[in-house]
Amino acid sequence: MFVGNKDGKVSFFRNEGDINSPIWVQITDFYNSIDVGLESAPVFADIDADSDLDLFVGKEDGTLSFYRNDGTKETPSWYLVSENYDSIDVGAKSIPTFVDIDADGDFDLFLGEEYGNVNFYRNTGNDTLPQWDPITAYYNSIDVGRRSSPVFADIDDDSDFDLFIGQDEGQVFFYKNDGTIYLPDWRLLNESYLFVDLGSYSRPALVDIDSDDDADLFVGEYDGNIGFYQNQATVPIPSWSMITENYFAIHADNYSAPTFADIDGDGDPDLFIGRKDGTIDFYENIGTAESAFWNLIPGEYDFLDVGTYVSPTFVDIDGDFDLDMFVGQIYGKIYFYRNDGTYQLPSWPLVSDNFESIDVGWYSVPTFGDMDSDGDYDLLVGNEEGRISFYQNEGTAQAFSFLFNTDSFDSIDVGKRSSPVLCDFDLDNDLDLFVGESKGGLHYYKNLTLNSIRGKVTDQTTPLENAVVYLSGDKEDSTFTDSSGNYAFVGLPLGNYCVFRDPATFQYCFSPLDSDTFEINFVGFTHVDEFSEQNIPQHFRLFPNYPNPFNPVTNITYFLPADAEIKLIIYNLKGEKVKELTHGFQTRGWRKVIWDGKNSQGKKVSSGIYFCKLQANQGCEIIRMVLLK
């Protein structure tokens, strides 16, 4: 994949996956040292019929640069033929595409441009030596607003090309070809093809509002309404359908920033809406986890005094089993209100109006997640400039200590007013990222990192400090255990790995199919799959199963920090329930369940990917398991 940008360069992303499941890895943001000034728009076409692709780049001034491929199909070599190809000039922001629109065996040329029209140049030459005849600057009288970006595809499989045109507001216009391959006849079918208009200043929130084991989408926006998009697909592939643009007739005047949290400990999510005037509206869910019903509690959060453009979020930052509150605001700082009450009845003293001295400039939007899989919450903060700042928690789950890492997390730039939210959207045991922005777009960043390989080294009863653990495979590394005997390899790319203390004694090797977190423990120099009570986690947790991949049985371990009603269920890739492993009340502590690879009818299931979901009062967690036969 090749992507132009506003700086005039071209980024190259190589597909490290396959044709059905692509995984894009950026190779360079300056491909072949191409720089056309501003607003590069690359497209490839075999313009001289020599069986390799040539490169054309649209640009800010409305002209085209032409790079001929003097290499091969497999190993291109680019030669700049012209910076003003055939003297074509569409005024500003040319966006080219090639298609044989009249079925005469050669490419014709269409160009989008700044003012939303489409220019058509017919090829009156041939497939080896094109000659461009300018037919019209207003093809089919098309006007999509600004920054037209045309592309052709036979979307309905009727052997002729249909036309799609993007534009600067993110809409896609769909023109169906009702003519023939020789003489197209265009009919506008849709001005918002596969497009959800989120308004402007989109503020996403993700929550399983109907308790069907997938994430539903709520979007606040500039006018103060909240859009609700229900996920009607199965685990783990989403399919959102718009239910309403004005959820429960909730209106927050200008600007709404929704977030969800079970603030009263009754097992269903409650709704908080940050407002432009600096207040927070609180809607208690007096329905159920499966069917929410909202009751506005007036004045419940009027004690806040944080400025304007409030962006609240909730997290248990001090490991005391209740939710604390953090609030972003217009001046780029973060207010911290610690919950000194309980999980069911919060009390909110203001601890800091300048949390950790964080200042992102303007319009701070905080979100928390365990980014490095070390058992504590890290912090991402959106801002006015459209980038995201990352603060890594170098403390613990009980005593945080945030260290500034970068103000350009993963080089993400969504334009203006970034609004990040973290969620394990694809149920692969790591956090994915959604980002709203000023024009109403919603950007999705899938986490393609193997979070960690971690574990513990003991001599049966006592943790071993400074014990060396080795990593081999796609990355060679070693580390030493801490005073509690814990070790971790964090931030590993997808690949093949082995972890061991002595390769002659024991190695645990695996090849992940997708993102995962593995926990491998050692007794001395050998492996053990039991978890020690000396390393009790501070939060509700479902651990990665062992072994994984497995055949025919696997161990599933979880920890309950308090007595709870729980359900442990296996699902297949389609989201269908395979087997309920356990259901009922359990006391605080460790639990281990063995799954024998059979469904609820006692029949062996086929090889593939399965999901194990643990549902309890404290929330739910999901792990991915691979059965190989």
Side-chain angles (χ1 to χ4, degrees):
M1 179 169 59
F2 296 81
V3 182
N5 60 47
K6 63 184 178 182
D7 296 326
K9 299 178 176 63
V10 176
S11 296
F12 169 39
F13 296 80
R14 177 180 292 138
N15 184 0
E16 300 288 356
D18 55 42
I19 191 170
N20 297 310
S21 300
I23 297 175
W24 301 107
V25 177
Q26 184 171 6
I27 304 302
T28 177
D29 58 3
F30 196 16
Y31 180 69
N32 202 59
S33 301
I34 290 172
D35 187 347
V36 297
L38 294 171
E39 304 288 350
S40 58
V43 67
F44 292 84
D46 183 7
I47 203 64
D48 48 13
D50 63 349
S51 300
D52 57 39
L53 294 173
D54 306 293
L55 172 61
F56 295 81
V57 185
K59 46 192 173 178
E60 167 75 17
D61 64 8
T63 63
L64 291 179
S65 290
F66 170 39
Y67 295 82
R68 186 180 63 232
N69 184 358
D70 287 343
T72 65
K73 182 178 181 180
E74 295 78 14
T75 310
S77 176
W78 303 108
Y79 172 70
L80 177 60
V81 176
S82 174
E83 293 184 344
N84 188 10
Y85 178 66
D86 212 55
S87 300
I88 291 171
D89 188 345
V90 297
K93 297 183 173 63
S94 55
I95 302 179
T97 190
F98 292 87
V99 64
D100 184 5
I101 201 63
D102 47 15
D104 63 350
D106 56 39
F107 284 114
D108 305 294
L109 172 61
F110 293 81
L111 294 107
E113 40 95 285
E114 168 68 15
Y115 297 105
N117 304 305
V118 175
N119 293 254
F120 172 37
Y121 290 76
R122 188 187 305 276
N123 186 353
T124 57
N126 54 50
D127 62 341
T128 60
L129 190 63
Q131 297 290 324
W132 302 110
D133 182 14
I135 303 300
T136 178
Y138 303 97
Y139 183 68
N140 204 55
S141 301
I142 288 170
D143 184 353
V144 297
R146 299 185 75 86
R147 300 296 297 275
S148 53
S149 179
V151 67
F152 294 83
D154 182 10
I155 199 67
D156 49 11
D157 198 27
D158 61 352
S159 301
D160 56 36
F161 288 105
D162 305 294
L163 173 59
F164 297 83
I165 308 175
Q167 48 92 261
D168 74 331
E169 295 294 333
Q171 292 177 250
V172 176
F173 287 63
F174 170 37
Y175 291 83
K176 185 183 186 313
N177 185 356
D178 288 336
T180 67
I181 58 174
Y182 308 100
L183 187 63
D185 181 17
W186 303 108
R187 177 164 57 98
L188 177 62
L189 281 188
N190 198 325
E191 295 186 4
S192 299
Y193 184 77
L194 294 180
F195 174 79
V196 177
D197 186 1
L198 302 178
S200 57
Y201 298 98
S202 54
R203 285 297 318 277
L206 290 153
V207 65
D208 183 7
I209 200 64
D210 46 13
S211 195
D212 62 349
D213 303 327
D214 55 39
D216 304 296
L217 173 65
F218 293 81
V219 184
E221 45 83 57
Y222 181 79
D223 291 328
N225 301 311
I226 296 177
F228 170 38
Y229 302 84
Q230 188 175 33
N231 190 349
Q232 297 180 334
T234 54
V235 176
I237 302 171
S239 177
W240 281 321
S241 297
M242 185 181 72
I243 304 302
T244 177
E245 293 181 348
N246 188 12
Y247 183 65
F248 264 81
I250 291 170
H251 187 69
D253 295 326
N254 294 332
Y255 175 84
S256 56
T259 191
F260 293 84
D262 182 8
I263 205 63
D264 49 13
D266 62 350
D268 55 43
D270 304 296
L271 172 59
F272 298 80
I273 304 175
R275 297 166 52 110
K276 178 181 178 179
D277 63 8
T279 61
I280 292 178
D281 287 340
F282 170 48
Y283 290 81
E284 182 185 6
N285 185 354
I286 58 175
T288 65
E290 294 78 18
S291 180
F293 194 86
W294 304 106
N295 179 38
L296 175 64
I297 309 295
E300 184 78 1
Y301 285 79
D302 283 356
F303 61 86
L304 268 71
D305 183 12
V306 301
T308 56
Y309 291 95
V310 171
S311 296
T313 191
F314 295 83
V315 66
D316 181 9
I317 200 63
D318 48 12
D320 61 350
F321 306 111
D322 57 38
L323 294 173
D324 306 295
M325 179 168 57
F326 294 82
V327 184
Q329 44 87 266
I330 186 172
Y331 296 115
K333 295 179 172 55
I334 297 174
Y335 283 62
F336 170 34
Y337 293 83
R338 186 181 60 235
N339 184 355
D340 283 351
T342 66
Y343 187 62
Q344 294 79 18
L345 189 63
S347 174
W348 304 109
L350 175 63
V351 176
S352 174
D353 59 4
N354 189 13
F355 179 67
E356 295 285 278
S357 301
I358 291 171
D359 187 346
V360 297
W362 295 88
Y363 299 101
S364 56
V365 180
T367 187
F368 290 85
D370 188 0
M371 305 291 290
D372 50 10
S373 299
D374 63 348
D376 55 41
Y377 290 104
D378 307 295
L379 172 62
L380 297 180
V381 188
N383 59 39
E384 165 69 13
E385 298 302 319
R387 295 187 293 272
I388 298 174
S389 295
F390 173 38
Y391 297 83
Q392 191 166 15
N393 188 350
E394 297 291 334
T396 66
Q398 295 76 34
F400 58 81
S401 177
F402 286 94
L403 178 67
F404 173 73
N405 185 289
T406 178
D407 61 2
S408 186
F409 177 69
D410 211 42
S411 301
I412 290 170
D413 186 344
V414 297
K416 293 288 185 181
R417 300 286 289 275
S418 53
S419 298
V421 62
L422 291 161
C423 171
D424 183 9
F425 184 61
D426 48 10
L427 305 181
D428 62 351
N429 209 35
D430 58 35
L431 293 171
D432 306 297
L433 176 63
F434 288 80
V435 187
E437 40 100 336
S438 62
K439 290 186 177 181
L442 184 62
H443 302 249
Y444 170 44
Y445 299 86
K446 175 175 167 56
N447 187 347
L448 294 177
T449 300
L450 176 65
N451 284 332
S452 66
I453 303 170
R454 58 179 67 248
K456 189 180 185 73
V457 180
T458 69
D459 65 354
Q460 296 290 351
T461 58
T462 306
L464 296 180
E465 186 177 2
N466 293 324
V468 65
V469 181
Y470 298 95
L471 178 74
S472 65
D474 287 358
K475 181 179 180 180
E476 305 288 333
D477 201 358
S478 63
T479 188
F480 292 90
T481 56
D482 61 18
S483 59
S484 298
N486 299 314
Y487 74 92
F489 298 100
V490 178
L492 300 174
L494 301 178
N496 302 298
Y497 297 97
C498 293
V499 61
F500 57 91
R501 297 213 57 226
D502 180 350
T505 305
F506 172 82
Q507 293 190 63
Y508 186 89
C509 299
F510 48 89
S511 176
L513 303 176
D514 208 331
S515 301
D516 268 306
T517 299
F518 291 83
E519 185 145 349
I520 310 300
N521 297 330
F522 295 90
V523 173
F525 288 93
T526 60
H527 170 262
V528 63
D529 63 353
E530 299 290 344
F531 292 86
S532 170
E533 285 287 344
Q534 297 175 354
N535 191 24
I536 294 176
Q538 300 301 312
H539 300 284
F540 165 81
R541 186 174 178 190
L542 173 63
F543 291 88
N545 59 304
Y546 171 78
N548 192 31
F550 69 95
N551 179 29
V553 299
T554 189
N555 301 287
I556 302 167
T557 305
Y558 56 94
F559 178 76
L560 301 176
D563 299 352
E565 186 81 18
I566 72 104
K567 288 190 292 186
L568 189 69
I569 302 174
I570 306 295
Y571 295 90
N572 63 21
L573 196 57
K574 295 180 180 179
E576 300 166 338
K577 182 186 292 187
V578 174
K579 187 174 184 179
E580 185 173 86
L581 298 180
T582 186
H583 183 185
F585 179 82
Q586 294 186 355
T587 57
R588 175 186 181 274
W590 294 94
R591 296 289 183 276
K592 185 166 76 170
V593 177
I594 296 176
W595 183 40
D596 58 5
K598 296 179 181 179
N599 61 21
S600 57
Q601 285 77 45
K603 297 180 179 179
K604 292 182 178 180
V605 299
S606 60
S607 297
I609 298 173
Y610 293 86
F611 298 92
C612 180
K613 177 185 176 183
L614 176 64
Q615 178 81 47
N617 300 344
Q618 296 92 343
C620 75
E621 287 198 0
I622 297 174
I623 57 173
R624 188 184 66 100
M625 309 185 297
V626 180
L627 172 60
L628 295 180
K629 293 184 178 180

